[in-house]
Amino acid sequence: MENQEITIEDVLKNLKVVKTSHREALIRNAYAMAEEAHRGQTRKSGEAYIQHALHTALNIAKMGMRSKTIAAGLLHDVPEDTAVTLETIEEKFGKEVAFMVDGVTKLGKIRLRGTKEELYLENLRKMFFAMASDIRVVIIKLADRTHNMETLSALPPEKQQRIALETMEVFAPIANRLGIGEIKGHLEDLAFKHLDPQNYILITQLQKEKYEQSKQYLDKAVWDLNQDLLKGGIKVEKIFGRTKHPYRLFQKMKKHDMNIEKIYDLIGIRIIVPNISACYETLGIVHNKYRPLVGRIKDYISLPKPNGYQSIHTTIFGPEGKIIEVQIRTSQMDAEAEFGIAAHWIYSEKRHGSLRNFFFRKKEQAVPEKELAWVKQLREWQNELGKDNSEFMEGLKIEFFKNHIFAFTPMGEVIELPEDATPIDFAYKVHSEIGNRTTGAKADGKMVKLDYKIRNGQVIEILTSRDHKKPSRDWARFVRTSLAKSNIERAYRDENK
Ligand code: MN
């Protein structure tokens, strides 16, 4: 469906929550507004702009999100690219939808100020913190990025490279942090294709050949196992052959001298059963049918991976002695592995590359107690809500780093501040000269007092005057940062000398 034209019916068909008339109306109304607002606009690929909004909404629906998030997904480019304002969206769809649309718009506004790639990624990372006071904003952004990656070929080559790199280094790790394995794998593959086309072609070709070679015995193993499981009284919900994500396979092959014969989970079978005891019964039946490889049985059900992943993995000698990996899990585990929950993402995963310390934390580093409190809270909510992850996701408001806020310069640079920081603190953070010359400030375009308390995500504009070279002594009473304080004190200390 990636590059196909879709309609709002496709989005509604993929709704994972119960389709009430209220939810359907909300989604249809959001579509109507987006369609009218974007009418006549086309993308670089030539397709109607509304297709991008629809695909974004479809991706959101597939992740199990509910109607408000889907509505915000449909409207996510409206304030930025059309004549319809955020106020109109709020009037029609309420504060929550408007807040999400605004968050996505702000995320999209960040611009590279320096030329260094690292500075850019740093900014982007902070940006995510700023906007992630509502996790749904990040989900919408991931859905938006997914469609942009799927249609990346329409853009000029340099732009393709920049966006693909950003996807690999920032967006895929974020999806991984959120436990959204399916989106993470998909984004990595799309980025891989643009960043390293030669190896991408090599890997996908190899995979295709291997799959064709092995299709016959894979089909036979699926058939035979299914028969035995039925005889054993297991209610198999799904059983199917699967291949690895190309980028993941490439990473694994690099570890094994690019020798594909050394990869044992190249092709596999996934078996979905109703509950945990059925998982272990299934493992017994699989091993009774096919001999397992020694040392290749992994029980991630009793010992989940740090990001919460649960499943049983075993590698067997299948038909004709061919090696096949078998994964056994419940449908809930399967849904979690693909579309994840945020509760476990606090723990660092092992990651190679430049952003290993992504989100300020070194790998395997212990989590400070203060932050753990809200993780515990999240887990509690999750337990209360039981199995319904979508319910959990929808109500989830994560406040990353409670004592920090992030504000933006009109150029899109991110300024990190303590809570209750004022425009004076902001000005000194930008530059001491700007601090000294401050005469006034605007927050989100409106004039504010100099002791105004900046809110997370606001754009702050500092008004300065050339004649005004000295800070006011009064400022020391209300500034929050030691940086501002010491600058003010220094100005008067120098004078006293
Ligand atoms: Mn977009």
Side-chain angles (χ1 to χ4, degrees), residues 93-119:
F93 299 101
K95 268 204 161 65
E96 233 178 308
V97 172
F99 175 84
M100 287 189 261
V101 172
D102 190 36
V104 177
T105 307
K106 281 181 173 153
L107 268 179
K109 266 191 184 156
I110 183 108
R111 290 290 171 266
L112 176 57
R113 206 179 82 137
T115 44
K116 277 190 184 162
E117 178 189 300
E118 272 173 27
L119 177 65

Side-chain angles (χ1 to χ4, degrees), residues 301-369:
I301 291 180
S302 52
L303 292 168
K305 283 191 185 182
N307 71 355
Y309 177 82
Q310 286 190 299
S311 196
I312 296 171
H313 293 187
T314 182
T315 307
I316 53 157
F317 294 101
E320 299 167 45
K322 301 279 188 192
I323 291 170
I324 303 172
E325 192 200 52
V326 180
Q327 300 179 343
I328 305 160
R329 52 173 87 157
T330 67
S331 49
Q332 193 194 336
M333 291 171 192
D334 195 47
E336 277 190 21
E338 290 195 352
F339 301 116
I341 49 163
H344 304 282
W345 78 321
I346 191 85
Y347 297 102
S348 291
E349 80 281 32
K350 279 187 184 172
R351 225 182 87 76
H352 306 280
S354 61
L355 286 184
R356 196 162 70 182
N357 301 338
F358 202 66
F359 290 151
F360 304 152
R361 201 166 289 116
K362 293 196 176 76
K363 66 174 179 177
E364 317 295 354
Q365 192 177 322
V367 180
E369 191 57 38

